[in-house]
Amino acid sequence: MKREIIETADGSSTIYLPELNEHYHSKHGAIQEAQHVFIKMGLLEVISRKNPSEISILEIGFGTGLNALVTWQQILNKNISLKYTGVEAYPILKEEVASLNFPEELSDINAGSFFKKLHAGSWEETHKLSENFTLTKQKKFFHEIDDKLKYDLIYFDAFGARVQPDLWTVDIFKKMYDSLIPGGILVTYAAKGSVRRAMLEVGFLVERLPGPPGKREMLRATKK
Ligand SMILES: C[S@@+](CC[C@H](N)C(=O)[O-])C[C@H]1O[C@@H](n2cnc3c(N)ncnc32)[C@H](O)[C@@H]1O
């Protein structure tokens, strides 16, 4: 499928799929969205609820690696060992990685080299990318995920239900529920009633939270 790199409203880039008329991130700001939905409402919430020394994250749709990059930046000076698993069926190309401006926009002198490392490492193997950040990229489809009681936090960042309704179903959320430890959290930018009901059906406690700029609400689900 054709992929185009475009700029979002906060100056950070994203990928656009013209055939589906779908973006990888919010057009109102890719970095802003990642910081709000996944860091503020997800990672920082896990830290404030449990003050853990280790956090295990599953990302649904590794894509450009933006969420992994902002996660690394957030725990840089924290005494937390982070294990990050990114599942992705359609990895982006080297040339696309080189055209994304996240490191420049994050203005962290080490962001560029870390962003390259996120993409350079082989798939299906675990790589220690920094003192406290370990990455495992798995090239597979979301419906193949079969982990049990493994993650503290899930970044659920699939394409929207308009283009991939099969990814926002009871079947997929049951897999997500099973893969979390009790008390584990799933965050997503989506806020649709049907998505919330599917989460409730598999047993999650679901909160509607304020969304990132340009979006009224988002969802956070906690495993009971
Ligand atoms: C909304 S994008 C977000 C990507 C990523 N979180 C980021 O920040 O760039 C969704 C991602 O899911 C991937 N994807 C779509 N359908 C998939 C499937 N059935 N199984 C695995 N990956 C899929 C896409 O290739 C894309 O990278």
Side-chain angles (χ1 to χ4, degrees):
M1 201 174 286
K2 191 168 183 291
R3 295 193 286 239
E4 291 172 5
I5 307 233
I6 61 144
E7 194 177 304
T8 66
D10 68 359
S12 57
S13 33
T14 192
I15 296 179
Y16 175 63
L17 302 176
E19 284 155 60
L20 299 177
N21 186 25
E22 181 76 348
H23 297 85
Y24 274 43
H25 307 97
S26 162
K27 358 175 238 212
H28 300 281
I31 288 183
Q32 264 184 184
E33 178 188 47
Q35 296 283 12
H36 179 88
V37 175
F38 302 108
I39 301 300
K40 180 172 177 212
M41 301 303 194
L43 181 61
L44 296 181
E45 181 69 12
V46 169
I47 294 172
S48 88
R49 282 189 198 179
K50 302 202 315 189
N51 193 22
S53 56
E54 268 191 36
I55 300 180
S56 186
I57 297 180
L58 170 66
E59 178 170 25
I60 294 302
F62 183 76
T64 63
L66 172 60
N67 293 332
L69 184 66
V70 293
T71 299
W72 158 80
Q73 191 183 36
Q74 189 58 230
I75 56 137
L76 257 184
N77 300 312
K78 290 193 170 72
N79 205 9
I80 292 172
S81 163
L82 202 300
K83 292 189 171 52
Y84 200 100
T85 302
V87 173
E88 174 59 60
Y90 313 102
I92 65 169
L93 306 172
K94 255 194 199 152
E95 307 83 72
E96 291 170 316
V97 174
S99 306
L100 292 164
N101 70 0
F102 306 139
E104 295 79 10
E105 291 295 309
L106 286 173
S107 59
D108 184 309
I109 48 162
N110 296 313
S113 63
F114 191 83
F115 190 54
K116 280 194 194 127
K117 281 198 230 169
L118 282 174
H119 288 282
S122 51
W123 291 75
E124 320 309 337
E125 283 170 335
T126 299
H127 300 273
K128 188 169 178 179
L129 301 190
S130 76
E131 203 42 56
N132 62 348
F133 191 105
T134 303
L135 174 68
T136 311
K137 292 185 292 183
Q138 300 177 343
K139 187 164 178 246
K140 64 182 180 190
F141 290 104
F142 303 141
H143 67 259
E144 296 175 296
I145 294 171
D146 199 19
D147 297 317
K148 305 278 182 249
L149 299 170
K150 190 168 172 192
Y151 304 106
D152 301 282
L153 176 60
I154 296 176
Y155 294 163
F156 198 87
D157 198 15
F159 291 132
R162 178 185 61 87
V163 294
Q164 282 189 305
D166 52 315
L167 298 182
W168 300 87
T169 55
V170 167
D171 278 1
I172 296 283
F173 287 122
K174 175 82 175 74
K175 282 183 180 294
M176 299 298 110
Y177 192 88
D178 291 345
S179 75
L180 285 168
I181 59 162
I185 288 177
L186 177 153
V187 273
T188 183
Y189 64 87
K192 272 183 99 153
S194 57
V195 172
R196 187 172 155 268
R197 286 191 292 278
M199 291 172 168
L200 288 170
E201 197 173 324
V202 303
F204 279 116
L205 290 167
V206 188
E207 297 164 89
R208 285 197 198 93
L209 301 170
K215 190 135 198 308
R216 204 161 56 89
E217 289 184 329
M218 58 164 281
L219 296 175
R220 180 166 63 209
T222 302
K223 179 169 178 170
K224 290 177 194 163

